[in-house]
Amino acid sequence: MNPTLEKLANLLSEMNSIGEKISEITQRPATIGHTGEYIAADIFDIELEESANTKDFDGHFRSGTLANRTVNVKWYSKLEYMLDINPDALPDFFLVMTGPKALEPISKGGIRPWLINYVFLFNAAELVTELTARGVKIGVASSVRKHEWQAAEIYPNRRSMVYRLSDEQMATILAFGSDWAENWF
């Protein structure tokens, strides 16, 4: 066997073992989306829907000023200023966790670690109204301007007034981030 393929096969075996352990915790497949929902549910006190394929939203906030409001959780490995939006099934909010800012538009030679360096909370109806007014096509990878992301930022900078993270929530999110990743992109 080609030594490179053998090494890759061994690494994939390790990755599958880790995925199995993640699935034991989350009770869902070990994908970045399902894992992100699990993390967000704990940090933001979100009750997730029983079914992981509800098209409108992933769950609803259980407490605080957003109690009973629906939320769609996204976890992207890089901040690329794109957001997947289903215009026919809008939640009340999009809670978006991302890794570091994407510095290069190409992925060759890059990595996409599962990190949380930023968290954003968008009012879905307001965002779609703004995007529609600019003529943005709503759907997979909808282009959201940088200033809109900044206005919705709740971590690490507390820019949005819609949701205020506690110090405990901030510390928990910090455990999923890493400064070293900023040097890789």
Side-chain angles (χ1 to χ4, degrees):
M1 178 187 263
N2 174 330
T4 304
L5 283 181
E6 185 175 357
K7 182 177 181 179
L8 181 58
N10 289 332
L11 290 170
L12 288 173
S13 178
E14 287 178 42
M15 187 173 77
N16 290 333
S17 290
I18 291 170
E20 187 176 333
K21 292 173 186 171
I22 290 170
S23 291
E24 288 173 7
I25 294 169
T26 65
Q27 296 298 298
R28 295 206 173 150
T31 65
I32 193 169
H34 289 306
T35 306
E37 291 166 9
Y38 181 87
I39 293 167
D42 189 80
I43 294 172
F44 296 93
D45 195 22
I46 296 169
E47 175 144 359
L48 294 175
E49 290 296 295
E50 192 66 34
S51 172
N53 60 4
T54 303
K55 75 176 192 172
D56 298 24
F57 53 88
D58 296 313
H60 63 274
F61 292 96
R62 287 190 278 221
S63 61
T65 58
L66 301 180
N68 300 315
R69 304 292 299 272
T70 59
V71 61
N72 189 314
V73 177
K74 308 284 187 187
W75 187 11
Y76 300 128
S77 58
K78 289 186 182 182
L79 174 53
E80 297 176 292
Y81 304 106
M82 300 287 192
L83 183 60
D84 293 338
I85 301 171
N86 180 349
D88 299 323
L90 287 179
D92 294 320
F93 290 92
F94 289 108
L95 177 67
V96 185
M97 304 179 298
T98 77
K101 294 176 185 170
L103 301 178
E104 297 293 328
I106 57 171
S107 62
K108 186 175 181 178
I111 59 172
R112 287 188 173 265
W114 291 15
L115 298 171
I116 302 172
N117 293 66
Y118 301 93
V119 181
F120 306 89
L121 186 66
F122 293 96
N123 178 301
E126 290 176 9
L127 179 63
V128 168
T129 298
E130 192 167 329
L131 296 177
T132 302
R134 310 202 313 256
V136 172
K137 182 181 177 208
I138 306 297
V140 175
S142 300
S143 178
V144 179
R145 290 186 174 159
K146 186 176 180 178
H147 78 273
E148 293 164 322
W149 287 90
Q150 289 173 332
E153 185 177 352
I154 60 174
Y155 176 88
N157 301 299
R158 297 175 179 178
R159 294 182 178 162
S160 173
M161 300 304 285
V162 175
Y163 189 96
R164 305 304 279 176
L165 291 166
S166 69
D167 290 341
E168 181 180 345
Q169 289 171 307
M170 298 274 285
T172 303
I173 295 168
L174 183 62
F176 291 95
S178 176
D179 291 336
W180 70 266
E182 295 290 346
N183 299 321
W184 285 93
F185 303 97

